[in-house]
Amino acid sequence: MRRVDVAAFNVGLVGVELAVLALCAAFGTLDWKLTSIVAPLGLVVIGLAGLLLSRNSTKGNR
């Protein structure tokens, strides 16, 4: 199985999150109170996904 470039994956997900935020702000109303809760949680999820993807596989290496 090919390894995933974790840095590119994380940067891409942060870019998507910022793009969705910008689209919501441009074309509709944006509830900043909700955004102040959801945006940090999204960044934490992206960080956890990066940590999980960066783990070394121990399957079959023993």
Side-chain angles (χ1 to χ4, degrees):
M1 188 170 132
R2 290 181 31 194
R3 288 196 45 101
V4 175
D5 186 2
V6 179
F9 178 77
N10 283 345
V11 169
L13 285 181
V14 170
V16 167
E17 184 176 6
L18 290 175
V20 168
L21 181 64
L23 283 173
C24 288
F27 294 113
T29 59
L30 190 61
D31 183 13
W32 287 105
K33 185 170 177 105
L34 179 64
T35 304
S36 68
I37 295 170
V38 172
L41 289 176
L43 292 173
V44 168
V45 168
I46 290 170
L48 289 174
L51 285 174
L52 288 174
L53 288 173
S54 67
R55 290 182 27 199
N56 291 332
S57 176
T58 58
K59 190 175 188 179
N61 290 342
R62 292 181 180 188

